[in-house]
Amino acid sequence: MIEDVIGRARVQATPELEEYYARLAKHGSGALWTVANEIEPWFPQPRSIPMHWRYEDLRPLVIESATLVTGDDAGRRVVYLVNDERRDVSAAVGLLYTGLQIMNPGESMTAHRHAAAALRFVIEGEGAWTIVNGDRLKVGPNDFAITPKGTWHEHGNESDTTQVIWQDGLDIPLVNALDSNFYEVHPDLHQIPGKVVNTSLLEHGSGILKPDGRSWAKRYSPLLAYPWERTYEALVNLARVSDGTPYDGVIMEYVNPHTGGSVMPTMGAHMQLLQPSQSTLAHRHTGSVIYHVTKGRGHSIIGGRRFDWKEHDIFCVPSWAWHEHANDDPAGEACLFSFNDFPMINALDLHAEEAMDANGGHQDIGEGALNSG
Ligand code: GTQ
């Protein structure tokens, strides 16, 4: 890609140069000026495209999977959502993976752990549980839970009657891109859970108090489950006193109560509320986001394309794509769950953000894309 700009690579190929390039290739090398403009774009050029997955399309296929394969054979019975341009790395957007996992009544999976971190957002069904490093979490619709890097985890459904479907979110493509993934099956196939269900919630879930005499040196949140009732209550309370941000409405981050920071070092998660008929302003930022429509109906315009969404639909915003959201219900609020790779972007000092002003101009609202913090 030649750019006729001083300071950019603008060497025209000649037969002599082509012959030279061929000799470089033979020695495991190449001329930078033939790739410089591609590998150093002026601004981020994500391969991921904005995509929208309708729950009404996927749900029957997910349910069908429960008749086609056993949980034991599959390991985890998941239909994963893949970006048209990221099939090679099994990513839904950027370096984030997501999927819909289904468990039949009475079913349980074997315990394993991996270097990739995982999170769950429960969609439907009562009776779901997961044991994370010996803590048995019981989770219901709209609950959020984490299984951080290296924690033993195994999932199950204790209902007699209903299937459970939840959304998995993992940083698998990221960890693979960094050539750092490991996987282990539990030597006993199962953990022995502690006596008290949801221990982490009882210890660390008060929201306003922190237990004395407890140190926590891990990089992830000691709180493993975030129930919907408390999440929603916090959001509604905030909405009584704040309009939130112009780009996202009333939005709150699920936090590590020990630090106030993100739940895990690679992935963060939010819940946001859009008031009836509210529409947000457009912005764009580095970092990729996967949304799950928790309630309501509306639309988002992402990278110039409109996606009309309703409950349990999933959509993604690639890095640096302009996006804005709207609640299309004049009578009811809309809630969006989302997870992202922001903690990693921030840890690497790669955050950049722009807002679109009324004339369609771009306003830097970060610390400046090329400034370092
Ligand atoms: O439950 O740990 O959807 O390891 C994909 C890979 C879920 C899990 C997925 C996984 C998991």
Side-chain angles (χ1 to χ4, degrees), residues 245-314:
T245 84
Y247 314 106
D248 286 300
V250 174
I251 182 161
M252 298 181 92
E253 183 174 11
Y254 293 91
V255 288
N256 173 341
H258 198 71
T259 61
S262 60
V263 290
M264 295 186 285
T266 53
M267 292 188 293
H270 290 86
M271 182 63 76
Q272 73 193 82
L273 182 150
L274 300 172
Q275 300 288 6
S277 297
Q278 181 180 1
S279 54
T280 67
L281 301 179
H283 74 155
R284 64 176 174 180
H285 47 70
T286 48
S288 306
V289 188
I290 296 175
Y291 290 85
H292 179 111
V293 182
T294 306
K295 86 186 211 177
R297 63 181 170 84
H299 70 271
S300 299
I301 299 171
I302 308 164
R305 289 184 57 198
R306 177 178 167 133
F307 301 94
D308 287 90
W309 41 254
K310 58 181 199 282
E311 204 167 283
H312 300 319
D313 285 1
I314 295 167

Side-chain angles (χ1 to χ4, degrees), residues 296-347:
R297 63 181 170 84
H299 70 271
S300 299
I301 299 171
I302 308 164
R305 289 184 57 198
R306 177 178 167 133
F307 301 94
D308 287 90
W309 41 254
K310 58 181 199 282
E311 204 167 283
H312 300 319
D313 285 1
I314 295 167
F315 58 90
C316 69
V317 173
S319 185
W320 209 237
W322 289 107
H323 56 283
E324 60 193 82
H325 309 296
N327 176 357
D328 292 328
D329 185 347
E333 62 205 14
C335 291
L336 301 175
F337 166 80
S338 61
F339 69 96
N340 59 64
D341 56 10
F342 299 166
M344 186 183 50
I345 293 281
N346 291 332

Side-chain angles (χ1 to χ4, degrees), residues 12 28 65 93 123 132 151 155 169 172 191 214 221 239 274 289 298 301 351 366 368:
Q12 299 285 349
S65 75
V93 67
I123 301 173
V132 184
T151 56
H155 317 306
I172 288 172
Q191 306 165 75
R214 301 297 304 253
S221 170
L274 300 172
V289 188
I301 299 171
H351 175 75

Side-chain angles (χ1 to χ4, degrees), residues 17-339:
L17 279 171
E18 296 287 8
E19 189 270 333
Y20 170 68
Y21 297 156
R23 278 185 287 129
L24 285 177
K26 279 202 190 111
H27 295 281
S29 60
L32 171 63
W33 61 87
T34 63
V35 297
N37 297 342
E38 271 94 0
I39 67 173
E40 292 185 309
W42 297 97
F43 50 84
Q45 302 283 347
R47 279 175 47 210
S48 303
I49 58 171
M51 283 186 62
H52 171 209
W53 296 270
R54 282 181 196 80
Y55 195 56
E56 66 186 23
D57 295 336
L58 285 172
R59 186 176 185 274
L61 292 164
V62 172
I63 289 172
E64 193 181 340
S65 75
T67 65
L68 296 173
V69 294
T70 64
D72 271 347
D73 285 349
R76 285 123 302 170
R77 201 191 292 102
V78 179
V79 170
Y80 74 102
L81 315 187
V82 64
N83 198 283
D84 285 345
E85 301 298 332
R86 300 294 277 162
R87 280 203 171 261
D88 52 341
V89 292
S90 302
V93 67
L95 293 169
L96 297 173
Y97 159 102
T98 199
L100 297 172
Q101 175 155 183
I102 182 164
M103 284 179 292
N104 283 325
E107 213 169 30
S108 64
M109 308 292 155
T110 49
H112 68 279
R113 62 178 185 167
H114 31 69
L119 55 84
R120 331 275 165 197
F121 190 76
V122 182
I123 301 173
E124 57 176 282
E126 302 291 339
W129 54 265
T130 179
I131 304 173
V132 184
N133 269 2
D135 185 11
R136 187 175 160 103
L137 321 178
K138 290 183 72 165
V139 285
N142 298 343
D143 287 352
F144 168 66
I146 58 170
T147 52
K149 178 213 157 176
T151 56
W152 293 110
H153 52 283
E154 58 192 286
H155 317 306
N157 174 5
E158 67 186 13
S159 164
D160 296 328
T161 49
T162 59
Q163 290 175 312
V164 163
I165 303 177
W166 72 36
Q167 182 178 356
D168 288 322
L170 289 98
D171 55 12
I172 288 172
L174 165 75
V175 177
N176 288 341
L178 296 173
D179 292 331
S180 303
N181 218 348
F182 294 89
Y183 191 100
E184 248 176 56
V185 175
H186 194 285
D188 305 325
L189 296 184
H190 294 286
Q191 306 165 75
I192 298 165
K195 282 205 181 65
V196 184
V197 168
N198 269 336
T199 295
S200 84
L201 189 59
L202 298 172
E203 277 185 310
H204 301 283
S206 125
I208 53 174
L209 293 161
K210 199 163 93 170
D212 263 13
R214 301 297 304 253
S215 60
W216 183 258
K218 305 269 189 200
R219 304 268 295 273
Y220 57 84
S221 170
L223 178 62
L224 302 172
Y226 298 74
W228 166 242
E229 288 71 24
R230 296 195 207 175
T231 305
Y232 183 64
E233 188 190 357
L235 210 54
V236 169
N237 285 343
L238 181 60
R240 288 175 59 191
V241 293
S242 168
D243 294 333
T245 84
Y247 314 106
D248 286 300
V250 174
I251 182 161
M252 298 181 92
E253 183 174 11
Y254 293 91
V255 288
N256 173 341
H258 198 71
T259 61
S262 60
V263 290
M264 295 186 285
T266 53
M267 292 188 293
H270 290 86
M271 182 63 76
Q272 73 193 82
L273 182 150
L274 300 172
Q275 300 288 6
S277 297
Q278 181 180 1
S279 54
T280 67
L281 301 179
H283 74 155
R284 64 176 174 180
H285 47 70
T286 48
S288 306
V289 188
I290 296 175
Y291 290 85
H292 179 111
V293 182
T294 306
K295 86 186 211 177
R297 63 181 170 84
H299 70 271
S300 299
I301 299 171
I302 308 164
R305 289 184 57 198
R306 177 178 167 133
F307 301 94
D308 287 90
W309 41 254
K310 58 181 199 282
E311 204 167 283
H312 300 319
D313 285 1
I314 295 167
F315 58 90
C316 69
V317 173
S319 185
W320 209 237
W322 289 107
H323 56 283
E324 60 193 82
H325 309 296
N327 176 357
D328 292 328
D329 185 347
E333 62 205 14
C335 291
L336 301 175
F337 166 80
S338 61
F339 69 96

